[in-house]
């Protein structure tokens, strides 16, 4: 198993030279590396599958409402850790592959669809939950398309990276569960918290996408006859 600094360097190489010095990113990756060390023999695909199963499973307590929303929030957090764990296992033990890289990206998008579904099941308006999910997908889609156009770098770390999406969903659902017993007259405290959390996520998603778009504008600017067709 690679030590932490070796793992961070290898993770950066697998992600187009992404900067790992940002406190949120470094802390998240360090946590994943710490969890992976005693589990080095576990197949990375097992952690990938478990992360997806836990994320989908969070929709059930989210739909149940009330104090069950706390469990939904916890499950979202666990799914995020499992998602990082599979990468730490693959990269840290020298088992990383292009196939696993693509599979992990697909599973990330499916888990984020489950996050949006959990927010909707908990009481967020449908249009808001769909927008939340779309903005989870859009930055990574932009990066993938830019890569096909010849951009080899991942770009700047925005305010709406994977750890932020996990944290926003988990804290929103968990917070809704905490306030579920409050009496706010004509207001439903769960719906208020879930809607507010989803709205903040949409705002962060828009800002993060704008940050990435501004960088890509510079990277992709100017005529290029070698660019692939749309």
């Amino acid at each position: 198993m690679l030590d932490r600094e070796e793992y961070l360097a290898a993770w950066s190489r697998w992600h187009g030279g992404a900067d790992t010095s940002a406190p949120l990113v470094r802390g998240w990756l360090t946590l994943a590396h710490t969890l992976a060390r005693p589990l080095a023999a576990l197949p990375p695909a097992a952690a990938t599958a478990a992360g997806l199963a836990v994320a989908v499973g969070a929709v059930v307590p989210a739909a149940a409402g009330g104090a069950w929303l706390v469990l939904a929030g916890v499950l979202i957090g666990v799914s995020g850790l499992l998602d990082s764990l599979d990468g730490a296992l693959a990269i840290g033990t020298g088992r990383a592959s292009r196939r696993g890289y693509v599979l992990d990206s697909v599973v990330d998008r499916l888990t984020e669809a489950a996050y949006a579904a959990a927010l909707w099941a908990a009481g967020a308006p449908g249009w808001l939950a769909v927008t939340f999910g779309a903005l989870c997908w859009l930055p990574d889609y932009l990066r993938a398309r830019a890569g096909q156009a010849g951009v080899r770098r991942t770009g700047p770390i925005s305010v709406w990276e994977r750890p932020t999406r996990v944290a926003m969903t988990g804290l929103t659902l968990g917070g809704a569960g905490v306030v579920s017993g409050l009496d706010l007259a004509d207001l439903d405290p769960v719906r208020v918290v879930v809607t507010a959390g989803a709205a903040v996520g949409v705002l962060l998603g828009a800002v993060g996408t704008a940050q990435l778009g501004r960088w890509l504008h510079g990277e992709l600017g100017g005529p290029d006859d070698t660019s692939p067709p749309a």
Side-chain angles (χ1 to χ4, degrees), residues 159-184:
V159 298
W160 190 238
E161 300 298 336
R162 177 79 172 162
T164 310
R165 302 167 203 167
V166 174
M168 278 302 307
T169 308
L171 291 174
T172 296
L173 293 172
V178 169
V179 304
S180 61
L182 297 180
D183 183 3
L184 299 181

Side-chain angles (χ1 to χ4, degrees), residues 138-177:
L138 185 56
D140 293 282
Y141 174 77
L142 289 174
R143 285 190 172 111
R145 291 293 289 174
Q148 291 178 327
V151 177
R152 300 304 175 207
R153 295 188 295 161
T154 300
I157 300 299
S158 74
V159 298
W160 190 238
E161 300 298 336
R162 177 79 172 162
T164 310
R165 302 167 203 167
V166 174
M168 278 302 307
T169 308
L171 291 174
T172 296
L173 293 172

